[in-house]
Amino acid sequence: MSQYENYKSLFGNLYQDTQIQLSAKMSEHTHFKVGGPVDILLTPNTKQQIAESIKICKSNNIPFYVIGNGSNILVKDSGIRGVVIKLCELNIIERKQNIIKAQCGALLKDLSEEALGASLTGFEFACGIPGSVGGAVFMNAGAYDGEISYVIQEAEVIDDNGNIIVLTKDELQLGYRTSLVMQKGYVVISATFCLQDGEKEKVKNRVFELTKRREERQPLEFPSAGSTFKRPEGYFAGKLIQDAGLKGFTIGGAAVSEKHSGFVINKGNASAKDILAVIKHVQEEVKKQFGVELHPEVRILGED
């Protein structure tokens, strides 16, 4: 038993038993389907539970990590010491005219469907992104010429003092795959988006077009964390990897996708070590052949 499992009682007055799991397999909570156990997994369903959980961890020097849908995370094979706070239970979406407010655990595809149902445009780009609102704001997620910064109005976050505050779009400092939330280690608990009135058929057609493009070009049949690398300035990561002759490159159960070289996939029996080895080899070869450094977009957590 890890030393941190002894701290379960600290959360007993805050959570129901079903919201606390010991030695939870992180392979069951990430899209990559790999990773060892976390000592304590918490699944809060109120923002007060999130804030209090973070305060408990900080006051007891317990390492903690906050995740959403697990779509952009790679957990190492020995797992995570401490606490993981998974926010998927906070998933309420509310709309008033062209303003949509969503809790951190709401899926982007569900927001896209809400917008389509109300004939609102601006969120079509997110229809195929498998992540949740919290993670999307954290990294300013984007696809197909759209990104969170284009539509967000404000976000409710927990700051490093445990206070719940509201940050405007400008205060969020959203850049390419970055934000103030990421830089400061804040936690997003909800976000408000301002969309535009549109024609329902046009919005529907755009969603259909992007969904079809994603299905045709991305290896959705395999576990992955989406695009593995950030886009290097002036280049496309997938093109560099393909030109380096790495399409299909395999170590153990991990491989560069034959369908889209920007994706490292789990072919079914990969370990996190395999995936990290493929990532490292790709970085080394692209640097060697083209002088370009590739930086992972996926968030890597845990111990080897």
Side-chain angles (χ1 to χ4, degrees), residues 233-253:
E233 189 172 352
Y235 300 90
F236 291 99
K239 179 75 162 53
L240 288 170
I241 296 165
Q242 180 174 319
D243 290 349
L246 295 171
K247 178 176 283 192
F249 175 79
T250 300
I251 295 177

Side-chain angles (χ1 to χ4, degrees), residues 90-243:
L90 287 91
N91 53 22
I92 295 173
I93 299 172
E94 300 174 313
R95 182 183 61 83
K96 188 174 182 180
Q97 297 178 336
N98 67 324
I99 303 296
I100 296 179
K101 182 175 182 179
Q103 290 183 315
C104 51
L107 297 178
L108 297 182
K109 68 179 183 65
D110 291 339
L111 262 75
S112 180
E113 290 176 5
E114 176 72 25
L116 170 59
S119 301
L120 297 175
T121 185
F123 219 81
E124 295 92 327
F125 76 92
C127 64
I129 299 177
S132 57
V133 167
V137 175
F138 179 83
M139 66 176 295
N140 188 25
Y144 302 119
D145 301 320
E147 61 180 44
I148 291 296
S149 70
Y150 297 168
V151 291
I152 195 168
Q153 191 173 63
E154 62 185 27
E156 191 178 17
V157 307
I158 300 173
D159 68 14
D160 49 10
N161 294 315
N163 299 315
I164 297 174
I165 61 174
V166 175
L167 298 177
T168 65
K169 174 181 176 177
D170 290 341
E171 289 171 334
L172 285 165
Q173 297 179 25
L174 298 162
Y176 176 66
R177 301 301 178 263
T178 188
S179 68
L180 180 73
V181 176
M182 181 184 291
Q183 295 160 15
K184 295 284 191 179
Y186 293 171
V187 177
V188 177
I189 51 180
S190 71
T192 302
F193 304 95
C194 181
L195 305 180
Q196 303 299 316
D197 291 329
E199 296 179 31
K200 189 164 189 175
E201 277 305 306
K202 286 186 177 180
V203 176
K204 184 178 180 179
N205 289 339
R206 179 61 173 164
V207 167
F208 177 81
E209 174 194 344
L210 295 181
T211 300
K212 184 179 179 182
R213 187 186 305 182
R214 181 170 179 264
E215 290 172 347
E216 290 174 347
R217 301 182 183 182
Q218 296 181 14
L220 303 181
E221 65 273 27
F222 293 103
S224 79
S227 296
T228 306
F229 301 98
K230 296 179 182 177
R231 185 180 68 243
E233 189 172 352
Y235 300 90
F236 291 99
K239 179 75 162 53
L240 288 170
I241 296 165
Q242 180 174 319
D243 290 349

